[in-house]
Amino acid sequence: MLSVLSKSYGKDLYLITLKNDQIVVNITNLGCTVTAIYTPDSNGVMKNIVAGFSDLAFYEQNDAYFGCVVGRYANRIAGGKFTLAGQPVQLSVNDGTNHLHGGFEGFHKKTWSVVTEIREENQVGVVMEYLSKDGEEGYPGNLLVQVRYTLDNACKLSIRYTGHTDKPTPVNLTNHSYFNLSGFEQALITGHLLKINASHYTGKNNHNVPDGSVIEVRGTALDFQQAKRIGDDIDQFPDDKGFDHNYVLNSEGEITEAAVLYEPVTGRELRVFTDQPGMQLYTANWWYGGLYPRHGAVALETQAFPDSPNHPSFPCTILHPGEVYEKHTIYEFGVRSLKSSYETIL
């Protein structure tokens, strides 16, 4: 059985619950945010597997980007600068010398409009919309974006992004959910097994932005082509304090399996599919105290490459008037027998 429930928290704030017979997904229009995903383990015990706040009011800040949609441009742009149609553009700088995740007041801090709730035989969902005005955080053009979340009976949470602009502008949207498939019974995700469908990653400089190189993962700590524990090599990047790298996915622009995450104690599994060219692996390296410890969850951010407007060799992220920005990511949730080996599973 599929269902969608809405609860109002004031004039413009809502919590929408999508349910099937196996999982429950909570979404708020504050930041277009996934606040909780409850899935069963191998014994049928339901736990929330994404990091978040218990009170919706806390999402007004959400500096850790729990579960939200980030934009206009996910990840970093060096110096907040790029050239567009021969003209310099200066964005806000909110991450050292960089522009990060849309700036100081990015999409994650906006109250989105709930356009419609979807109630169909095979899926339920919600469509949310936000108009980013010309000049917001320095971006050119009025950008109208919609995000469509749907949940089906196969336990697939689909996220479709669309956008239209009246001036050329860079666009790169992603969902920033952090996962701990133990339901946070295990404090760290170092024991999770991860496989990434990528043979290369984008090299970066000491400002954590791409240097233009594309490097083979084989023989490095970044090689997840075969499943391995996240904790096996997490200490190989002392400056980053863990993994914080953009993978060049082995895809041709079609929906492709990007990653598989598996927690061997509970048997919970997550498969990520996307038509995006990249995926950022981030292991919550800067969490200290507060709700969760460092490495308490992992983000698998499907995206365009960081700093693409400054690298002509990277896939283009500039949206022009008359074009439609269209991207699609699917999270598929499952559970496996604990008797199965992870080599077989992954």
Side-chain angles (χ1 to χ4, degrees):
M1 178 180 178
L2 291 160
S3 63
V4 54
L5 305 171
S6 296
K7 186 175 182 180
S8 175
Y9 287 80
K11 180 179 179 182
D12 299 315
L13 187 59
Y14 300 92
L15 181 67
I16 296 175
T17 299
L18 310 180
K19 299 174 63 176
N20 64 18
D21 289 340
Q22 300 175 70
I23 71 173
V24 178
V25 180
N26 291 335
I27 302 168
T28 178
N29 62 317
L30 181 51
C32 199
T33 301
V34 174
T35 64
I37 301 175
Y38 292 89
T39 70
D41 67 7
S42 59
N43 294 314
V45 177
M46 299 287 287
K47 290 284 186 179
N48 175 33
I49 61 169
V50 295
F53 299 109
S54 58
D55 188 333
L56 289 188
F58 292 137
Y59 287 98
E60 292 179 357
Q61 295 303 316
N62 196 11
D63 293 333
Y65 303 97
F66 291 158
C68 58
V69 168
V70 291
R72 283 188 197 188
Y73 202 96
N75 217 306
R76 294 171 174 85
I77 295 178
K81 301 177 181 178
F82 57 93
T83 300
L84 186 57
Q87 299 298 314
V89 177
Q90 178 65 63
L91 306 177
S92 57
V93 175
N94 63 319
D95 177 58
T97 61
N98 303 319
H99 176 85
L100 174 66
H101 288 337
F104 292 101
E105 300 292 330
F107 289 6
H108 65 295
K109 291 188 177 181
K110 306 300 184 182
T111 299
W112 293 54
S113 299
V114 177
V115 176
T116 186
E117 294 176 5
I118 300 165
R119 303 170 187 267
E120 299 176 356
E121 181 179 356
N122 298 318
Q123 63 180 4
V124 292
V126 61
V127 179
M128 300 187 190
E129 182 176 273
Y130 176 66
L131 174 61
S132 176
K133 293 184 178 179
D134 188 14
E136 183 175 283
E137 299 289 336
Y139 287 98
N142 295 292
L143 176 70
L144 180 65
V145 295
Q146 284 193 347
V147 175
R148 175 187 173 102
Y149 288 104
T150 55
L151 174 67
D152 66 14
N153 276 322
C155 294
K156 294 180 181 179
L157 179 64
S158 172
I159 311 174
R160 291 185 180 271
Y161 309 89
T162 58
H164 300 81
T165 184
D166 60 4
K167 294 181 183 178
T169 190
V171 185
N172 177 27
L173 307 181
T174 192
N175 178 273
H176 206 294
S177 290
Y178 294 90
F179 296 95
N180 182 323
L181 299 187
S182 77
F184 297 91
E185 291 185 353
Q186 304 292 325
L188 306 181
I189 45 76
T190 48
H192 282 51
L193 301 163
L194 176 64
K195 180 180 179 181
I196 300 176
N197 182 25
S199 57
H200 292 78
Y201 70 99
T202 51
K204 60 183 184 176
N205 60 27
N206 58 3
H207 293 292
N208 212 14
V209 291
D211 58 15
S213 63
V214 175
I215 304 170
E216 190 172 2
V217 300
R218 188 180 304 279
T220 76
L222 294 172
D223 190 353
F224 283 91
Q225 293 180 99
Q226 301 297 320
K228 69 175 182 180
R229 293 174 70 254
I230 292 177
D232 286 351
D233 294 307
I234 202 170
D235 61 351
Q236 297 301 303
F237 307 96
D239 290 341
D240 292 322
K241 300 187 182 298
F243 294 105
D244 190 8
H245 298 82
N246 173 63
Y247 283 82
V248 178
L249 297 176
N250 298 333
S251 65
E252 298 295 332
E254 302 293 331
I255 286 283
T256 304
E257 186 174 87
V260 184
L261 185 67
Y262 175 68
E263 205 289 302
V265 176
T266 63
R268 291 190 183 95
E269 178 186 73
L270 166 66
R271 292 180 180 266
V272 181
F273 301 83
T274 190
D275 56 7
Q276 290 273 26
M279 186 188 77
Q280 188 85 5
L281 170 63
Y282 178 56
T283 48
N285 304 331
W286 298 97
W287 289 1
Y288 291 98
L291 290 175
Y292 305 100
R294 181 163 61 99
H295 303 156
V298 57
L300 303 170
E301 305 162 56
T302 58
Q303 60 175 12
F305 297 173
D307 201 32
S308 288
N310 290 312
H311 297 276
S313 62
F314 288 179
C316 182
T317 56
I318 304 301
L319 181 69
H320 293 88
E323 298 176 342
V324 181
Y325 176 87
E326 292 183 287
K327 297 297 178 184
H328 188 195
T329 292
I330 300 170
Y331 296 132
E332 181 179 354
F333 304 98
V335 63
R336 299 289 180 173
S337 168
L338 300 184
K339 296 180 180 180
S340 301
S341 69
Y342 74 83
E343 291 89 351
T344 301
I345 293 168
L346 302 183

